[in-house]
Amino acid sequence: MTNAEIALALRSIAELLAIRGENPFRIRAYERAAMFLEGFPQDLEDVYHAGGTNALAELPGIGKDLAEKIGELVDTGKLQFLRDLEQRVPKGLRAVMAVEGMGPKRTQFVWEEFQVRNLRDLERLVRSGRLSRVRGWGTQSVQNIARAIETHRAFGKRLPIGKARPIAEALLRHLERSQLCDTVTIAGSLRRWKETIGDIDLLATSAHPERVMEFFCGLPFVARVIARGPTKANVLLRVGIEADLRVVDPDVFGAALHYFTGSKAHNIHVRTIAVAKGLTISEYGVFRGTKAHKGKRIACRTEEDVFRTVGLPYIPPELREDIGEVELAEQHRLPALLEAADLHGDLHLHSDFSDGSGSMEEMIAAAKRAGRSYIALTDHASVMGMVRGLKTRSPQQRGNVAAYVRRVRAAAAKVSGIQVLVGAEVDILPDGRLYLSDAELRQLDWVIGSVHQSFKQTPAQATQRLLRAMDHPALRCIGHPSTRLIGGRGELALDWDAVFRRAAERDIALELNASWVRLDLDDVRCRRAQSMGVRVCVNSDAHHPQEFDVTYGVHQARRGWLTRADVLNALPWSKLQQWLRRGRA
Ligand SMILES: [Zn+2]
Ligand SMILES: [Zn+2]
């Protein structure tokens, strides 16, 4: 039982409890634990075997009850509590809940009132028109749900990278530990860090390929073996996507890795160059002449070898989409892409002053542990009543801006060795005004403006909304600019070039929100922003001390061709201060 599988079980419990309308705190506890486990570097199984449930209970956010459930999962491979829940809630309801605009309450409602048990039932109900007559739904919201069902279907069986990657890494660890493989690595779109993944590709070298296949097909993740040969296997994983494993000869590993990493378009382009040089490149190697297998094989143990045979430098996987990278490589002008170590700061994170679950001091200390030398604490300032945080013209201590500023400064004083800006993530209202007053905004060091409601505006309205927000002198950054949720909510309809132009004129940063459900800006827009001279800010949007990892964001930035020079929080603290001061002037 791997961490990823345990996390999956906990997420399932959270979803099922939500549909049953149970206590939100209890649901949140399962979600938090799952999120923690997905990023936990040690194997839970090992922790459990070494120290029992007591050791598990000491991990952050786990506690006694969850520790016992995890123990049961590890011991028996199943969990009675989850089985009971699954019996009581129809299987298809989890897909219904995932449709944007549905959520747990509405899912529970259509299940109880209209006996909706799956997506098809929901679609039928929406079409029948009966739902629009129900109080609190309305024609508009039902239409939105109809559209969301379509989006949901189009997304199909692809997984967001944040769900696929931990599973692939767990598969990798199992294969490594089997000691049957000499090398094993991730290939395919996962190695190119695409934001959604259709299937998992793994590549290995081994002296015992058949034993590797047997081991792989017998792993607990595997729901069904689709095809199995002596050197390759294709299985359906329990999470619903397929995984391929191939064992290749170490002498041609580089050629195979290049081939199976793709993309197809990139491979075709490289092969065309090879042909012009009288060579043939395939998954089986690089050969002289135009007939593979017949010509003499040229060294291709590594990908560097393969690129060298056609006169190219190494091209990082994130760039391999045939969107100009091969041409630039030919001229030896590939960009030096952003590296994780380039990021000095994190300018978007929340504490329990708004909807985060760590105190200000805990969040600052955690950011420091994550290697940041400066941060901005940016609790929400939201017009929505249900979102806690800063409230405009609040007479109470709780939401008052001046009180917030004092609290952040006091928390910052308790943690040495990290610089803390007092910031806020302020709602951009539907007409483009910012939610806080000018006098309140002036008290803050750093203001992110974000859209959190009224997503369905016309292109003209939505664009005007952002342009007007950017005219406010206090605003320094637009948070998650498209507002999309991968596999869920669609995007604002924006005239992006107009937004980029204004951002460049006013030197306002656009965020690349590194949370894998957002990854917003996306790769294509990062590159467009760069070409128009806009700075991008790669932020965690952490809501918990464990959420400072920005790996997905860094790779998305690399897919968007961003270099250190394009990224605001790659500036060291002194340079960032200069940038902030210049903007004030
Ligand atoms: Zn936000
Ligand atoms: Zn946020």
Side-chain angles (χ1 to χ4, degrees):
M1 186 71 46
T2 62
N3 291 4
E5 283 177 296
I6 296 168
L8 196 69
L10 300 185
R11 277 198 193 281
S12 305
I13 293 176
E15 286 177 18
L16 295 170
L17 290 177
I19 295 172
R20 286 170 52 89
E22 306 235 358
N23 179 343
F25 288 104
R26 192 155 170 238
I27 296 164
R28 198 80 187 121
Y30 281 101
E31 284 170 352
R32 281 272 166 240
M35 204 183 287
F36 167 72
L37 295 188
E38 280 158 0
F40 190 58
Q42 234 179 317
D43 265 339
L44 233 53
E45 222 177 73
D46 296 345
V47 176
Y48 175 63
H49 286 142
T53 48
N54 285 341
L56 291 177
E58 276 166 27
L59 298 173
I62 300 293
K64 197 163 162 287
D65 173 57
L66 271 175
E68 270 162 22
K69 291 200 169 69
I70 293 168
E72 185 187 333
L73 266 169
V74 174
D75 286 339
T76 68
K78 53 190 185 229
L79 184 55
Q80 198 53 45
F81 180 68
L82 176 58
R83 292 209 157 178
D84 291 346
L85 271 176
E86 280 171 341
Q87 303 236 297
R88 274 176 276 164
V89 181
K91 238 179 157 180
L93 279 186
R94 283 160 70 184
V96 170
M97 186 170 84
V99 170
E100 190 204 344
M102 285 300 297
K105 284 215 178 78
R106 289 185 153 189
T107 303
Q108 193 190 8
F109 177 80
V110 294
W111 174 33
E112 283 173 358
E113 298 298 316
F114 295 100
Q115 288 75 51
V116 165
R117 302 171 71 83
N118 51 45
L119 264 188
R120 194 170 302 153
D121 291 349
L122 178 67
E123 215 169 3
R124 225 175 275 141
L125 175 65
V126 163
R127 275 210 216 103
S128 75
R130 283 194 293 162
L131 208 48
S132 332
R133 292 195 288 274
V134 177
R135 242 179 78 103
W137 288 67
T139 319
Q140 187 60 44
S141 101
V142 173
Q143 269 171 14
N144 290 343
I145 288 169
R147 214 173 312 139
I149 295 174
E150 271 167 43
T151 317
H152 197 82
R153 284 254 161 82
F155 187 66
K157 287 219 178 325
R158 293 185 76 84
L159 281 187
I161 187 169
K163 286 196 177 165
R165 186 100 204 163
I167 296 162
E169 279 169 4
L171 287 171
L172 209 62
R173 271 203 305 278
H174 274 276
L175 285 163
E176 279 165 359
R177 259 189 241 147
S178 74
Q179 302 200 327
L180 293 167
C181 302
D182 299 316
T183 52
V184 50
T185 182
I186 292 172
S189 52
L190 208 42
R191 183 158 177 254
R192 303 198 316 278
W193 294 84
K194 275 196 75 160
E195 63 191 30
T196 64
I197 303 299
D199 58 7
I200 294 173
D201 284 299
L202 300 170
L203 199 64
T205 62
S206 165
H208 320 280
E210 297 204 32
R211 281 173 63 197
V212 174
M213 291 306 138
E214 193 182 324
F215 176 83
F216 179 66
C217 293
L219 284 173
F221 303 82
V222 174
R224 187 160 60 83
V225 177
I226 298 167
R228 175 173 156 189
T231 58
K232 58 182 177 189
N234 170 227
V235 300
L236 178 69
L237 299 175
R238 282 205 213 138
V239 287
I241 61 170
E242 293 178 16
D244 281 329
L245 171 66
R246 287 180 188 77
V247 175
V248 301
D249 183 341
D251 283 340
V252 301
F253 183 75
L257 183 58
H258 181 253
Y259 181 86
F260 289 112
T261 297
S263 65
K264 228 172 234 159
H266 165 90
N267 287 354
I268 291 171
H269 197 152
V270 173
R271 261 181 310 204
T272 321
I273 297 177
V275 169
K277 293 183 188 291
L279 303 169
T280 303
I281 294 186
S282 75
E283 58 181 290
Y284 306 108
V286 183
F287 302 89
R288 258 185 229 301
T290 49
K291 284 205 182 92
H293 310 294
K294 298 242 171 92
K296 186 181 174 320
R297 197 170 71 210
I298 306 171
C300 51
R301 282 185 87 92
T302 68
E303 280 191 322
E304 281 85 350
D305 292 338
V306 176
F307 283 117
R308 204 177 304 126
T309 59
V310 288
L312 295 178
Y314 179 79
I315 302 177
E318 295 97 327
L319 294 185
R320 299 183 198 168
E321 301 290 345
D322 195 27
I323 44 172
E325 79 280 7
V326 179
E327 289 85 347
L328 276 191
E330 284 182 296
Q331 302 161 23
H332 293 267
R333 285 176 45 218
L334 282 176
L337 300 180
L338 182 77
E339 309 265 353
D342 293 333
L343 294 182
H344 296 293
D346 190 336
L347 297 171
H348 183 171
L349 54 114
H350 302 267
S351 76
D352 59 9
F353 190 87
S354 59
D355 59 349
S357 54
S359 70
M360 290 176 178
E361 199 180 329
E362 280 166 352
M363 293 304 282
I364 298 168
K368 184 183 164 188
R369 276 198 303 279
R372 304 288 165 248
S373 59
Y374 60 87
I375 58 159
L377 210 89
T378 54
D379 275 308
H380 283 286
S382 175
V383 67
M384 288 182 284
M386 61 183 189
V387 180
R388 291 206 316 169
L390 293 155
K391 294 295 166 190
T392 190
R393 297 179 182 93
S394 167
Q396 302 134 344
Q397 241 351 53
R398 175 74 225 166
N400 186 288
V401 174
Y404 170 75
V405 173
R406 279 196 299 277
R407 278 186 59 171
V408 179
R409 298 229 190 275
K414 288 189 197 147
V415 187
S416 65
I418 181 166
Q419 306 292 335
V420 179
L421 295 169
V422 185
E425 182 182 14
V426 183
D427 278 7
I428 300 175
L429 302 176
D431 63 2
R433 280 178 305 127
L434 297 177
Y435 166 66
L436 293 180
S437 73
D438 291 355
E440 286 164 330
L441 289 165
R442 264 196 298 275
Q443 299 173 55
L444 300 166
D445 305 326
W446 168 255
V447 174
I448 300 178
S450 297
V451 169
H452 288 123
Q453 68 282 111
S454 303
F455 299 111
K456 311 261 190 250
Q457 292 178 309
T458 66
Q461 284 168 337
T463 305
Q464 212 36 55
R465 182 180 189 177
L466 287 202
L467 294 184
R468 180 167 178 201
M470 282 192 279
D471 281 337
H472 197 291
L475 188 108
R476 310 311 303 267
C477 179
I478 300 271
H480 44 74
S482 89
T483 75
R484 71 158 177 184
L485 298 175
I486 293 179
R489 184 167 63 219
E491 307 185 326
L492 292 178
L494 290 172
D495 175 349
W496 283 95
D497 276 4
V499 171
F500 292 148
R501 219 173 295 124
R502 184 71 53 93
E505 277 163 23
R506 310 241 323 110
D507 206 3
I508 285 168
L510 294 190
E511 181 176 69
L512 194 185
N513 190 298
S515 156
W516 58 260
V517 289
R518 291 192 182 274
L519 289 174
D520 180 10
L521 300 170
D522 69 13
D523 46 4
V524 173
R525 291 192 184 122
C526 280
R527 199 167 169 207
R528 184 74 187 156
Q530 175 197 53
S531 76
M532 294 182 71
V534 178
R535 289 234 204 209
V536 175
C537 196
V538 183
N539 293 325
S540 69
D541 200 359
H543 282 69
H544 186 275
Q546 302 278 352
E547 293 175 357
F548 281 97
D549 189 358
V550 288
T551 305
Y552 294 119
V554 169
H555 287 282
Q556 184 83 314
R558 291 167 63 86
R559 285 182 59 80
W561 293 54
L562 298 190
T563 69
R564 191 165 55 185
D566 303 312
V567 175
L568 181 67
N569 50 329
L571 291 176
W573 171 243
S574 60
K575 288 269 159 51
L576 180 86
Q577 278 179 303
Q578 280 175 21
W579 184 84
L580 285 171
R581 273 197 298 271
R582 202 184 45 186
R584 291 270 176 207

